[in-house]
Amino acid sequence: KTIVKKINEENMEPGCLEDAASILQKEGLVAFPTETVYGLGGDALDTEAAKKIYEAKGRPSDNPLIVHIADMDKLVDLVEEIPEKAYQLSDKFWPGPLTMIMRKSNKVPYGTTGGLDTVAIRMPSNKIALQLIRESGVCIAAPSANTSGRPSPTKAEHVIEDLNGKIDMIIDGGAVGIGLESTIVDLTSEIPTILRPGFITKEMLEEVIGNVEIDETIIAKKTDPNLRPKAPGMKYKHYAPKAELTIVEGTEQAVVDTINEYAAQKMEKGFRVGVIATDETFARYKASCVKTIGSRHDEEQIARGLYAILRDFDEQEVDVIYSEGFADSKLGQAIMNRLLKAAGYHVVEV
Ligand code: TXA
Ligand code: MG
């Protein structure tokens, strides 16, 4: 049975995480909020705990986990050597939504890294997460706390939907602030490379460490069988709603007209159609279920709402979803990366 426990990040009572910490110390699993998405935590240095994480999520075991720490002195134990750029980036962005890949030390089991000689490490800024790591003394391996393939959880309710009965505890710390997973930067390549775009953008990283590359597979408009994403997890169809999702891109009115036309055709055949609209276009759509994700000009709001809207459409049992596309710069790049994956790269340009 899964215990669900509400905790207010801004008003944590001393000892409120004692039971969660003790679960982690005994190879158990605790889902907890971070500033990006909810994580499913277990002891990263314990192969048994890592195994349980893969089982609970139904995740392929070649897809490595991110190790979460709360203090810099733990980093020394986890990696072979700390590159200069890791110090510069951690000074600027930790705690926060940035994951760095470095060569692992032999303390980190291959069960956590999916057999790789590198390890992904992040220091989250959510206070519940930090406190849980400190109180347990555990380096917490935590993938997003969703069933593998479903949209990542941005509220405790999403975690309950996916993992209730499969893990020991869920800490409900309310809705997350960012809503998309952390930026992953690989520091083992000659030029640091972004393997997954997120809230910390390429420009922000370059300001601190100079030239940064982006793994080309993550911004590609379609899957190319010749390109293999460097982050193993990025190759899976991911973040996906149950309904078939299509992105329609073009000028505003053309997008509205095209989506309405497609929607009418589908509804005529008896399908339920969902539309992901923006505040600017919301009133112009006719479909079974139209939802706005917020203003097109507020990328942070779009990022925060994306996964919840995909899950909402699952609940509404729509058969197909049409979504507008978003700008491909800054945070928009992370948004489009997730949306494209959710759509299985199905894009229509009008
Ligand atoms: O924001 C986040 O990062 C959230 C919260 C919970 O911290 N966690 C998260 O974990 O998104 P997960 O497991 O859903 O995604 C981890 C990604 C996967 O795509 C995985 O392939 C990649 O990180 N990754 C992990 N270790 C790696 C490594 N050594 N080399 C390359 N990619 C790695
Ligand atoms: Mg995930």
Side-chain angles (χ1 to χ4, degrees):
K1 179 146 188 320
T2 304
I3 303 162
V4 179
K5 184 166 180 172
K6 263 201 165 70
I7 289 180
N8 180 351
E9 188 185 355
E10 296 312 325
N11 186 16
M12 272 192 278
E13 293 181 10
C16 68
L17 292 170
E18 243 170 56
D19 43 359
S22 107
I23 291 171
L24 289 172
Q25 289 161 352
K26 292 180 201 138
E27 292 185 341
L29 302 187
V30 177
F32 61 97
T34 82
E35 69 278 22
T36 56
V37 298
Y38 272 75
L40 172 56
D43 186 343
L45 304 186
D46 182 316
T47 310
E48 279 311 306
K51 226 192 227 160
K52 286 187 193 166
I53 292 177
Y54 286 101
E55 272 168 22
K57 278 182 64 84
R59 175 171 173 134
S61 61
D62 68 340
N63 189 359
L65 308 173
I66 296 176
V67 182
H68 295 66
I69 59 172
D71 297 286
M72 278 303 275
D73 56 2
K74 280 286 195 301
L75 186 57
V76 186
D77 293 341
L78 298 175
V79 301
E80 208 166 70
E81 170 192 29
I82 305 177
E84 183 56 32
K85 285 174 179 160
Y87 282 114
Q88 294 169 323
L89 290 175
S90 66
D91 269 355
K92 176 84 183 178
F93 298 114
W94 276 3
L98 179 69
T99 296
M100 293 192 249
I101 300 203
M102 294 172 246
R103 278 184 213 298
K104 78 172 195 72
S105 73
N106 49 28
K107 281 197 183 151
V108 183
Y110 284 111
T112 296
T113 67
L116 298 175
D117 288 313
T118 54
V119 60
I121 302 173
R122 161 164 129 81
M123 188 188 292
S125 64
N126 179 289
K127 289 177 195 152
I128 297 170
L130 286 172
Q131 184 60 31
L132 183 61
I133 298 164
R134 289 200 179 111
E135 185 142 349
S136 62
V138 165
C139 295
I140 304 182
S144 48
N146 52 295
T147 298
S148 197
R150 290 212 72 202
S152 294
T154 54
K155 301 177 195 172
E157 289 75 12
H158 299 160
V159 184
I160 295 169
E161 266 169 40
D162 284 13
L163 299 177
N164 197 19
K166 296 182 176 168
I167 63 178
D168 300 295
M169 182 181 271
I170 297 170
I171 298 173
D172 178 353
V176 302
I178 294 177
L180 298 179
E181 304 85 346
S182 61
T183 305
I184 301 179
V185 62
D186 183 355
L187 297 180
T188 67
S189 48
E190 206 164 271
I191 300 172
T193 306
I194 294 176
L195 306 188
R196 180 173 73 183
F199 186 83
I200 310 280
T201 61
K202 179 171 187 275
E203 292 76 17
M204 289 158 81
L205 295 174
E206 284 185 327
E207 241 171 68
V208 180
I209 54 168
N211 199 14
V212 170
E213 282 180 350
I214 295 196
D215 180 8
E216 54 183 321
T217 60
I218 64 185
I219 40 176
K221 276 277 156 79
K222 52 177 187 281
T223 36
D224 178 342
N226 297 315
L227 294 178
R228 207 165 160 269
K230 297 193 179 79
M234 299 300 278
K235 72 172 177 277
Y236 298 104
K237 179 172 176 185
H238 225 155
Y239 318 114
K242 289 170 190 154
E244 186 190 306
L245 168 64
T246 301
I247 303 167
V248 181
E249 290 191 315
T251 58
E252 189 176 284
Q253 194 56 43
V255 168
V256 171
D257 292 342
T258 306
I259 289 180
N260 278 336
E261 193 182 307
Y262 289 170
Q265 286 166 10
K266 290 284 184 188
M267 287 189 292
E268 193 151 308
K269 288 186 192 146
F271 291 113
R272 274 177 63 74
V273 177
V275 174
I276 301 178
T278 50
D279 290 352
E280 289 77 12
T281 55
F282 178 72
R284 280 181 267 162
Y285 286 111
K286 289 190 192 68
S288 325
C289 184
V290 183
K291 288 177 186 289
T292 177
I293 195 165
S295 169
R296 169 166 294 286
H297 305 295
D298 187 348
E299 290 187 329
E300 292 192 12
Q301 189 189 8
I302 295 171
R304 212 177 297 129
L306 179 63
Y307 288 139
I309 229 174
L310 294 176
R311 278 180 183 261
D312 275 357
F313 277 128
D314 280 350
E315 243 165 59
Q316 301 284 327
E317 302 192 323
V318 298
D319 303 293
V320 287
I321 306 171
Y322 296 105
S323 176
E324 300 179 7
F326 298 96
D328 219 351
S329 62
K330 293 194 191 147
L331 189 52
Q333 188 166 68
I335 294 167
M336 276 312 281
N337 168 261
R338 306 310 194 274
L339 199 56
L340 280 162
K341 284 166 77 57
Y345 297 89
H346 194 202
V347 184
V348 175
E349 314 233 5
V350 294

